[in-house]
Amino acid sequence: MLGIVDLLFLLLENAKQPMHVAGICVFELPKHSTSQDEARYFAQLLGQADVDNLPNFPFNQQLAGIFWQKTSRFDWHKHCYHHRLQTGEMSELLEKVSNLHEERLSKDRPLWQLHLFSNLQPEHENAPKRFALYLKIHHAVLDGVAAMRLFQRLLSGRADEVLPQPLWSRQIRQRQSSFVRQNKSFLKHLTEQLGSITPVLAELKQDYKLYRQGQTEAFIGSLQAPPSLFNQKITTRRDFLAIALQKSRFVEIAKTLGLTTNDVILAVCAYALRAYLCQQNALPSKSLIAFVPISLRNNDTALGNQISFIPTNLGTADEDLLVRINKISQSIQAGKARMQRMTQAQFINYTAAHYAWAGVNLALRLYPKKQAFNLVISNIPGDDNTPLYLNGARLSAVYPASVLFDGQALNISFANYQDRIDFGLIACGEVLPNIHHLPELIKQGLGAYENLLFYNKTPIKD
């Protein structure tokens, strides 16, 4: 049976709001591979080399009302595609993926697609040849954290390991327990919901007290987000933007300030958002509010959606970089403390109650003048230690991509892999002018904090 959050992603989907999570995964081909080697390699990855391959879990799951069932028939032609890039430039890859990201997945078959892009230019001269995989899977099947874990377990930690099955036909590598969907009975769901009523009401009462006291870092109201350029009706257009930066740079700033790496990444994003809005002469007088998804998983195995959100004050109304990052940190810490006081079901229901009006507007496809938040910024945890390989090809980058909602024209997601933070931005470029400047502004934001902390003795303002 679908969970409440899983079902919500199905109900929210329409032509302007495809509800799939995705990512571009860039690989370096094994050295000395010939064109014939590459052709065989790509055919095997997609399953074209063996028509008898059958999908494995979760790639074999199909909707049957509000339940999942194993598909009785599978046609890989409707799921797996090979594209050869003409120029081989990263910009060409992003443009093609942007177009694919606009398309909804068909609900009459398993809800996923795998696109392979060959002829991607090497990262630099004398570097290995590259290709990219764009995998998209419906948000009702899993959330971004589960998607990353699933993908990692389909790969290998050994460069010399070759597996004959395509990705979608492989047995998932197991760690502590089976990587399966954790189904709950209707009675279990009902018991959890009824048990959450009293704690949720108590938390809402405490929120009202903080609101009356004006403690806007400890409590962010559902009407606090200011109108902004990012909060417009969207079209079907999607623009996929990407940039990679060294994780060690963020870590060094975090150590210097005594904050978390995630705080620093959010502050760098806030810098970029403020700078972009200033360029467009559209900076709100009040700070932007981001929804930051938080994983509610108490294990590393379950699929489905186990997420909620922490509303975060991005401090974009403050010019001082240190004031801004401290407001972000305080906001995140207050949200985490609230989450730790509640069970998973309680925190999900607390978020639902607090932002009920926003959910109704989304479900009814209304466009409110007042937004509950300005954008979503997601941290997709990756593997920062072990290099991963796909039949000898080394994974070199992972750029995540998420969803847009009507009234939310920008989403920023980032993943940690090796010593990199890979940013994947999804925007509706039709309503956000010059949004392609945003990745460069993220890079500038990181430099601004480094300049402040390591090269100047007095604080600077952006």
Side-chain angles (χ1 to χ4, degrees):
M1 181 177 176
L2 276 77
I4 295 174
V5 180
D6 308 344
L7 185 60
L8 181 63
F9 284 116
L10 288 172
L11 295 175
L12 289 178
E13 186 164 55
N14 58 60
K16 292 199 297 183
Q17 292 180 175
M19 290 288 118
H20 49 257
V21 291
I24 296 177
C25 303
V26 179
F27 291 86
E28 294 179 343
L29 280 160
K31 293 181 179 179
H32 312 302
S33 57
T34 65
S35 297
Q36 288 184 336
D37 292 335
E38 292 173 24
R40 287 193 296 269
Y41 184 91
F42 295 146
Q44 187 274 332
L45 287 186
L46 293 176
Q48 298 169 334
D50 185 355
V51 295
D52 294 327
N53 280 313
L54 293 176
N56 216 321
F57 184 86
F59 300 104
N60 61 3
Q61 297 295 294
Q62 186 171 344
L63 280 172
I66 61 171
F67 295 90
W68 294 105
Q69 68 178 14
K70 186 176 180 179
T71 185
S72 58
R73 53 185 178 180
F74 179 75
D75 183 355
W76 66 263
H77 291 90
K78 295 180 179 179
H79 294 272
C80 303
Y81 305 88
H82 183 185
H83 315 266
R84 179 176 173 80
L85 298 171
Q86 298 301 310
T87 67
E89 298 282 351
M90 191 68 180
S91 58
E92 181 189 0
L93 171 63
L94 293 173
E95 181 180 358
K96 291 186 177 299
V97 169
S98 297
N99 294 334
L100 291 170
H101 206 67
E102 297 170 359
E103 301 172 2
R104 284 185 287 179
L105 292 163
S106 175
K107 292 186 177 64
D108 63 359
R109 60 181 73 106
L111 292 166
W112 63 273
Q113 286 182 358
L114 179 64
H115 296 261
L116 186 152
F117 293 87
S118 59
N119 196 40
L120 181 61
Q121 289 185 358
E123 191 168 11
H124 54 80
E125 191 176 356
N126 299 322
K129 297 179 181 179
R130 298 189 297 170
F131 69 93
L133 294 179
Y134 167 69
L135 173 64
K136 70 176 182 179
I137 189 164
H138 203 284
H139 217 319
V141 181
L142 41 69
D143 57 39
V145 173
M148 178 66 80
R149 291 175 179 172
L150 169 65
F151 190 73
Q152 288 175 345
R153 296 190 187 188
L154 292 171
L155 303 181
S156 172
R158 292 167 41 197
D160 61 350
E161 183 175 15
V162 177
L163 300 175
Q165 304 90 359
L167 283 174
W168 45 266
S169 187
R170 293 182 180 179
Q171 289 281 351
I172 298 171
R173 298 167 186 272
Q174 298 178 359
R175 293 182 183 174
Q176 297 176 359
S177 58
S178 298
F179 197 78
V180 298
R181 185 178 305 282
Q182 294 184 339
N183 289 312
K184 293 180 180 178
S185 66
F186 174 78
L187 182 60
K188 180 68 172 176
H189 276 294
L190 181 61
T191 302
E192 286 184 347
Q193 300 309 308
L194 293 176
S196 72
I197 293 175
T198 299
V200 168
L201 289 176
E203 198 66 36
L204 291 172
K205 183 178 179 180
Q206 176 66 14
D207 287 346
Y208 180 71
K209 180 179 178 181
L210 293 172
Y211 171 73
R212 291 292 300 271
Q213 294 172 350
Q215 297 184 33
T216 56
E217 273 73 53
F219 167 72
I220 296 176
S222 60
L223 297 174
Q224 191 171 323
S228 80
L229 194 61
F230 302 125
N231 306 118
Q232 305 180 61
K233 284 189 174 182
I234 61 173
T235 68
T236 56
R237 176 173 162 179
R238 297 294 182 269
D239 294 74
F240 196 142
L241 311 170
I243 187 171
L245 297 168
Q246 283 186 309
K247 181 185 177 182
S248 57
R249 298 173 66 186
F250 293 94
V251 171
E252 192 65 27
I253 295 169
K255 286 181 179 179
T256 302
L257 294 175
L259 302 175
T260 69
T261 303
N262 193 62
D263 292 337
V264 178
I265 296 173
L266 289 173
V268 167
C269 290
Y271 175 101
L273 295 168
R274 175 185 163 90
Y276 169 77
L277 291 171
C278 285
Q279 289 178 356
Q280 308 307 313
N281 296 314
L283 179 67
S285 59
K286 294 183 178 180
S287 291
L288 297 179
I289 303 298
F291 253 22
V292 177
I294 186 94
S295 177
L296 302 178
R297 298 176 185 278
N298 53 20
N299 58 61
D300 67 347
T301 56
L303 294 184
N305 288 274
Q306 296 184 39
I307 58 170
S308 192
F309 300 89
I310 292 179
T312 303
N313 185 335
L314 293 180
T316 51
D318 296 285
E319 294 184 358
D320 190 289
L321 298 180
L322 293 181
V323 170
R324 188 182 309 154
I325 196 171
N326 282 318
K327 282 192 174 182
I328 290 170
S329 180
Q330 292 168 23
S331 191
I332 287 288
Q333 292 307 313
K336 287 182 177 179
R338 182 178 296 108
M339 182 190 74
Q340 291 168 0
R341 292 194 293 267
M342 293 183 273
T343 66
Q344 181 185 113
Q346 290 166 5
F347 192 70
I348 289 175
N349 288 336
Y350 163 82
T351 306
H354 194 64
Y355 293 94
W357 69 271
V360 170
N361 280 326
L362 279 174
L364 297 179
R365 303 179 189 178
L366 302 176
Y367 175 64
K369 292 182 179 180
K370 193 69 176 175
Q371 298 291 322
F373 57 97
N374 299 107
L375 77 159
V376 175
I377 304 179
S378 303
N379 180 359
I380 312 296
D383 191 332
D384 58 355
N385 295 314
T386 307
L388 296 174
Y389 298 88
L390 179 56
N391 289 6
R394 186 181 73 87
L395 178 65
S396 61
V398 181
Y399 300 104
S402 194
V403 302
L404 295 183
F405 300 100
D406 212 8
Q408 310 287 333
L410 176 66
N411 178 292
I412 300 176
S413 299
F414 57 92
N416 170 213
Y417 174 65
Q418 301 289 277
D419 185 30
R420 293 165 54 111
I421 302 294
D422 294 331
F423 291 86
L425 293 73
I426 292 294
C428 179
E430 199 162 327
V431 301
L432 295 179
N434 304 311
I435 194 61
H436 59 279
H437 292 162
L438 197 56
E440 181 60 29
L441 293 174
I442 291 175
K443 181 179 178 181
Q444 289 179 19
L446 180 57
Y449 275 98
E450 290 175 323
N451 185 56
L452 168 63
L453 296 175
F454 307 133
Y455 304 109
N456 286 333
K457 294 183 179 179
T458 56
I460 60 171
K461 297 178 180 180
D462 63 330

